[in-house]
């Protein structure tokens, strides 16, 4: 099923702005970023600003903004999250580890949704799905705490039946299926989708997506997607939201953030049509 929203069709684009902060931090590592929302800060020049990038992404058609506040604050910082919560006009999705300090921050700041992810200190980006099955009861308590303050919860998981069933048992509102293995297979096979590994990964995602919906959860997906590989994922039955960061930020260096987001939104819409 596809659904129309304004001039777009199919899944919403959730724009992940972490890598804008990665570029900023490469230069302004120790900046305090303590100014107000309008940017009147001694570090107003700490560019690129992920909050301004989020605004551009909204103008380009993103219907959700995502930021991952890591334990080591390697890209977005606490002040970025406060400013995003104050200024983002579409949905705001806080990606975070399932730790006490992050849950407390989510209870205080109340984003629309929290996506729980595993967090390894050495990884460059999130590398694998969350092991929900191995910590189901602990995660169920976190999900209930988030629901109590009106925050939806999503589990970033591998497209695996055990994990999906555990996410439903834990009470998650949504699952974000990890599309990394599909994206890698797609790149390695030059986009061959009739047979071979990318085809197999796509079937795995389709079956996993059907189970997520059968168990009554919202179906989201993301990681590693590009304008070349996003189409087949956008066409998966009932897909609601696609979370994409790196390829859009990379493309924005050439054509600007608003245009890069619009290009991805149009690609998703065309695929869903
Ligand atoms: N979803 C999750 C849970 C992620 O951790 C990330 C990467 O930060 C993404 C989606 C976006 O992945 P990419 O930057 O490869 O598009």
């Amino acid at each position: 099923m596809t659904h129309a929203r304004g001039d777009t069709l199919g899944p919403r684009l959730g724009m992940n702005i972490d890598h804008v902060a990665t570029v900023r931090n490469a230069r302004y590592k120790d900046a305090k970023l303590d100014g107000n929302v309008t940017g009147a800060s001694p570090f107003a020049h700490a560019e690129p600003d992920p909050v301004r990038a989020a605004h551009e992404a909204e103008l380009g058609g993103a219907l959700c903004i995502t930021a991952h506040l890591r334990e080591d604050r390697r890209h977005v910082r606490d002040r970025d999250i406060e400013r995003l919560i104050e200024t983002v006009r579409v949905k705001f999705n806080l990606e975070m580890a399932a730790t006490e300090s992050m849950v407390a921050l989510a209870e205080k700041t109340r984003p629309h949704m929290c996506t729980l992810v595993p967090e390894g200190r050495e990884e460059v980006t999130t590398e694998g799905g969350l092991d929900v099955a191995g910590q189901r009861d602990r995660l169920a308590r976190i999900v209930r705490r988030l629901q109590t303050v009106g925050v939806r919860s999503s589990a970033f998981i591998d497209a695996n039946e055990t994990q999906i069933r555990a996410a439903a048992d834990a009470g998650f509102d949504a699952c974000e299926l990890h599309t990394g293995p599909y994206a890698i297979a797609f790149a390695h096979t030059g986009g061959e989708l009739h047979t071979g590994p990318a085809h197999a990964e796509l079937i795995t995602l389709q079956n996993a997506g059907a189970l997520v919906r059968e168990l009554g959860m919202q179906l989201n997906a993301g990681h590693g997607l590009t304008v070349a590989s996003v189409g087949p994922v956008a066409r998966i039955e009932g897909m609601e939201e696609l979370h994409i960061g790196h390829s859009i930020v990379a493309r924005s260096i050439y054509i600007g953030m608003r245009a890069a987001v619009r290009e991805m939104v149009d690609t998703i819409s065309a695929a869903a049509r």
Side-chain angles (χ1 to χ4, degrees), residues 8-87:
T8 62
L9 278 172
R12 295 181 286 275
L13 172 65
M15 169 70 203
N16 181 316
I17 45 94
D18 294 342
H19 293 307
V20 177
T22 306
V23 176
R24 176 196 62 196
N25 297 355
R27 173 61 56 100
Y28 300 102
K29 194 165 182 300
D30 301 317
K32 289 198 176 59
L33 310 172
D34 52 359
N36 61 28
V37 170
T38 54
S41 143
F43 292 102
H45 62 286
E47 298 283 0
D49 178 7
V51 180
R52 285 186 67 182
H55 183 60
E56 286 296 312
E58 285 185 37
L59 293 174
L63 292 172
C64 172
I65 300 294
T66 295
H68 182 175
L69 188 65
R70 283 180 174 267
E71 194 191 353
D72 61 6
R73 305 305 195 255
R74 132 177 17 146
H75 25 63
V76 295
R77 312 258 186 87
D78 297 67
R79 182 67 188 133
D80 294 320
I81 297 294
E82 288 167 14
R83 293 171 66 222
L84 286 164
I85 293 219
E86 278 178 68
T87 57

Side-chain angles (χ1 to χ4, degrees), residues 16 18-19 66 68 70 75 95 115-117 125-127 156 176 221-225 243-248:
N16 181 316
D18 294 342
H19 293 307
T66 295
H68 182 175
R70 283 180 174 267
H75 25 63
E95 227 182 88
T115 298
L116 301 185
V117 297
T125 178
T126 313
E127 280 168 5
F156 177 64
E176 180 180 336
H223 212 286
L225 296 173
H243 293 270
I244 306 177
H246 184 270
S247 69
I248 299 175

Side-chain angles (χ1 to χ4, degrees), residues 67-70 93-99 101-107 111 114-119 130 142 146 154:
H68 182 175
L69 188 65
R70 283 180 174 267
N93 172 37
L94 176 62
E95 227 182 88
M96 61 183 218
T99 60
S101 61
M102 288 309 307
V103 176
L105 187 134
E107 286 175 323
C114 279
T115 298
L116 301 185
V117 297
E119 207 170 281
L130 184 67
I142 291 178
L146 294 173
S154 173

Side-chain angles (χ1 to χ4, degrees), residues 234-248:
R235 276 194 292 275
I236 291 176
E237 187 78 9
M239 184 61 69
E240 289 204 30
E241 218 162 74
L242 294 172
H243 293 270
I244 306 177
H246 184 270
S247 69
I248 299 175

Side-chain angles (χ1 to χ4, degrees), residues 2-10:
T2 57
H3 38 279
R5 280 178 310 277
D7 60 344
T8 62
L9 278 172

